mmCIF file of all heavy atoms in Angstrom:
data_model
loop_
_atom_site.group_PDB
_atom_site.id
_atom_site.type_symbol
_atom_site.label_atom_id
_atom_site.label_comp_id
_atom_site.label_asym_id
_atom_site.label_seq_id
_atom_site.Cartn_x
_atom_site.Cartn_y
_atom_site.Cartn_z
ATOM 1 N N TYR A 128 -22.077 6.248 13.081
ATOM 2 C CA TYR A 128 -21.922 4.804 13.262
ATOM 3 C C TYR A 128 -23.213 4.123 13.469
ATOM 4 O O TYR A 128 -23.523 3.102 12.939
ATOM 5 C CB TYR A 128 -20.895 4.525 14.360
ATOM 6 C CG TYR A 128 -20.755 3.121 14.730
ATOM 7 C CD1 TYR A 128 -20.034 2.212 13.832
ATOM 8 C CD2 TYR A 128 -21.437 2.546 15.825
ATOM 9 C CE1 TYR A 128 -19.897 0.935 14.196
ATOM 10 C CE2 TYR A 128 -21.361 1.228 16.104
ATOM 11 C CZ TYR A 128 -20.597 0.400 15.283
ATOM 12 O OH TYR A 128 -20.439 -0.931 15.597
ATOM 13 N N ILE A 129 -24.053 4.731 14.394
ATOM 14 C CA ILE A 129 -25.373 4.143 14.706
ATOM 15 C C ILE A 129 -26.219 4.025 13.497
ATOM 16 O O ILE A 129 -26.944 3.024 13.224
ATOM 17 C CB ILE A 129 -25.978 4.875 15.869
ATOM 18 C CG1 ILE A 129 -25.209 4.627 17.171
ATOM 19 C CG2 ILE A 129 -27.412 4.511 16.024
ATOM 20 C CD1 ILE A 129 -25.654 5.524 18.243
ATOM 21 N N GLU A 130 -26.273 5.166 12.708
ATOM 22 C CA GLU A 130 -27.055 5.193 11.491
ATOM 23 C C GLU A 130 -26.625 4.089 10.516
ATOM 24 O O GLU A 130 -27.417 3.356 9.977
ATOM 25 C CB GLU A 130 -26.939 6.555 10.781
ATOM 26 C CG GLU A 130 -27.586 7.690 11.464
ATOM 27 C CD GLU A 130 -27.332 8.990 10.800
ATOM 28 O OE1 GLU A 130 -26.693 9.057 9.677
ATOM 29 O OE2 GLU A 130 -27.643 10.079 11.399
ATOM 30 N N LEU A 131 -25.384 3.911 10.303
ATOM 31 C CA LEU A 131 -24.820 2.877 9.380
ATOM 32 C C LEU A 131 -25.141 1.494 9.940
ATOM 33 O O LEU A 131 -25.483 0.536 9.202
ATOM 34 C CB LEU A 131 -23.311 3.000 9.225
ATOM 35 C CG LEU A 131 -22.973 4.225 8.307
ATOM 36 C CD1 LEU A 131 -21.434 4.384 8.342
ATOM 37 C CD2 LEU A 131 -23.467 4.071 6.914
ATOM 38 N N LEU A 132 -24.962 1.277 11.241
ATOM 39 C CA LEU A 132 -25.323 -0.042 11.880
ATOM 40 C C LEU A 132 -26.778 -0.340 11.692
ATOM 41 O O LEU A 132 -27.151 -1.497 11.390
ATOM 42 C CB LEU A 132 -24.905 0.065 13.359
ATOM 43 C CG LEU A 132 -25.071 -1.222 14.107
ATOM 44 C CD1 LEU A 132 -24.101 -2.239 13.520
ATOM 45 C CD2 LEU A 132 -24.651 -0.974 15.609
ATOM 46 N N GLU A 133 -27.647 0.624 11.902
ATOM 47 C CA GLU A 133 -29.056 0.367 11.738
ATOM 48 C C GLU A 133 -29.403 0.051 10.308
ATOM 49 O O GLU A 133 -30.198 -0.880 10.019
ATOM 50 C CB GLU A 133 -29.921 1.606 12.180
ATOM 51 C CG GLU A 133 -29.902 1.802 13.661
ATOM 52 C CD GLU A 133 -30.582 3.029 14.087
ATOM 53 O OE1 GLU A 133 -30.846 3.993 13.258
ATOM 54 O OE2 GLU A 133 -30.732 3.225 15.347
ATOM 55 N N LYS A 134 -28.818 0.711 9.307
ATOM 56 C CA LYS A 134 -29.041 0.345 7.909
ATOM 57 C C LYS A 134 -28.519 -1.054 7.643
ATOM 58 O O LYS A 134 -29.157 -1.815 6.927
ATOM 59 C CB LYS A 134 -28.236 1.423 6.978
ATOM 60 C CG LYS A 134 -29.030 2.799 7.014
ATOM 61 C CD LYS A 134 -28.266 3.657 6.105
ATOM 62 C CE LYS A 134 -28.870 5.070 6.090
ATOM 63 N NZ LYS A 134 -28.171 6.002 5.215
ATOM 64 N N HIS A 135 -27.367 -1.367 8.162
ATOM 65 C CA HIS A 135 -26.831 -2.696 7.930
ATOM 66 C C HIS A 135 -27.758 -3.761 8.511
ATOM 67 O O HIS A 135 -27.986 -4.776 7.874
ATOM 68 C CB HIS A 135 -25.421 -2.811 8.618
ATOM 69 C CG HIS A 135 -24.747 -4.130 8.544
ATOM 70 N ND1 HIS A 135 -24.219 -4.611 7.409
ATOM 71 C CD2 HIS A 135 -24.609 -5.067 9.461
ATOM 72 C CE1 HIS A 135 -23.776 -5.810 7.591
ATOM 73 N NE2 HIS A 135 -24.000 -6.153 8.849
ATOM 74 N N ASN A 136 -28.251 -3.459 9.712
ATOM 75 C CA ASN A 136 -29.199 -4.456 10.357
ATOM 76 C C ASN A 136 -30.444 -4.652 9.492
ATOM 77 O O ASN A 136 -30.994 -5.805 9.315
ATOM 78 C CB ASN A 136 -29.475 -4.058 11.726
ATOM 79 C CG ASN A 136 -28.399 -4.300 12.728
ATOM 80 O OD1 ASN A 136 -27.447 -5.141 12.399
ATOM 81 N ND2 ASN A 136 -28.342 -3.669 13.789
ATOM 82 N N GLU A 137 -30.937 -3.562 8.999
ATOM 83 C CA GLU A 137 -32.151 -3.538 8.134
ATOM 84 C C GLU A 137 -31.963 -4.440 6.872
ATOM 85 O O GLU A 137 -32.750 -5.275 6.483
ATOM 86 C CB GLU A 137 -32.615 -2.163 7.684
ATOM 87 C CG GLU A 137 -33.225 -1.334 8.777
ATOM 88 C CD GLU A 137 -33.486 0.064 8.317
ATOM 89 O OE1 GLU A 137 -33.589 0.313 7.109
ATOM 90 O OE2 GLU A 137 -33.655 0.929 9.247
ATOM 91 N N LEU A 138 -30.734 -4.259 6.235
ATOM 92 C CA LEU A 138 -30.398 -5.121 5.101
ATOM 93 C C LEU A 138 -30.282 -6.587 5.376
ATOM 94 O O LEU A 138 -30.736 -7.394 4.723
ATOM 95 C CB LEU A 138 -29.049 -4.562 4.474
ATOM 96 C CG LEU A 138 -29.117 -3.277 3.740
ATOM 97 C CD1 LEU A 138 -27.765 -2.834 3.396
ATOM 98 C CD2 LEU A 138 -30.024 -3.348 2.511
ATOM 99 N N LEU A 139 -29.734 -6.847 6.618
ATOM 100 C CA LEU A 139 -29.589 -8.261 7.039
ATOM 101 C C LEU A 139 -30.963 -8.885 7.293
ATOM 102 O O LEU A 139 -31.172 -10.019 6.841
ATOM 103 C CB LEU A 139 -28.786 -8.365 8.332
ATOM 104 C CG LEU A 139 -27.261 -8.234 8.153
ATOM 105 C CD1 LEU A 139 -26.627 -8.259 9.566
ATOM 106 C CD2 LEU A 139 -26.682 -9.391 7.346
ATOM 107 N N ILE A 140 -31.844 -8.105 7.863
ATOM 108 C CA ILE A 140 -33.182 -8.610 8.119
ATOM 109 C C ILE A 140 -33.967 -8.886 6.803
ATOM 110 O O ILE A 140 -34.580 -9.847 6.669
ATOM 111 C CB ILE A 140 -33.934 -7.661 9.044
ATOM 112 C CG1 ILE A 140 -33.386 -7.694 10.471
ATOM 113 C CG2 ILE A 140 -35.479 -7.923 9.074
ATOM 114 C CD1 ILE A 140 -33.863 -6.585 11.377
ATOM 115 N N ARG A 141 -33.862 -7.924 5.911
ATOM 116 C CA ARG A 141 -34.480 -8.050 4.570
ATOM 117 C C ARG A 141 -33.897 -9.300 3.864
ATOM 118 O O ARG A 141 -34.644 -10.076 3.260
ATOM 119 C CB ARG A 141 -34.306 -6.852 3.717
ATOM 120 C CG ARG A 141 -35.331 -5.789 4.027
ATOM 121 C CD ARG A 141 -35.392 -4.750 2.958
ATOM 122 N NE ARG A 141 -34.870 -3.525 3.568
ATOM 123 C CZ ARG A 141 -34.158 -2.598 2.934
ATOM 124 N NH1 ARG A 141 -33.871 -2.771 1.670
ATOM 125 N NH2 ARG A 141 -33.731 -1.574 3.578
#
Side-chain angles (χ1 to χ4, degrees):
Y128 173 77
I129 290 170
E130 289 172 11
L131 289 172
L132 186 61
E133 287 173 350
K134 288 179 182 180
H135 177 75
N136 286 340
E137 287 174 21
L138 288 171
L139 283 175
I140 289 169
R141 277 195 248 146

